[in-house]
Amino acid sequence: MSAGVIHTIRCDAEVDGEQCGNERFWPVDVAHHRELRAHLRKQGWRRRADRDLCPDHATEEPGR
């Protein structure tokens, strides 16, 4: 038996006081989250002020 790691990125935006809930992963080997973030950037995900933001929230100002 073997085990693997699936890196997952979750949107850190808050909607009505709760976390957005959007998350993405990539079903191929990635060495670390930076590699996954590089791929997700092509799909509209952004990193702002140490927060991962899905395409729906990627235009938000930091601190929101």
Side-chain angles (χ1 to χ4, degrees), residues 8-39:
T8 304
I9 301 291
R10 291 187 182 95
C11 181
D12 294 321
E14 287 192 15
V15 179
D16 298 325
E18 295 185 18
Q19 190 170 352
C20 168
N22 281 335
E23 65 181 28
R24 290 290 184 271
F25 63 92
W26 194 242
V28 295
D29 287 335
V30 291
H32 40 69
H33 282 94
R34 286 185 313 239
E35 190 175 342
L36 177 58
R37 284 185 181 108
H39 172 74

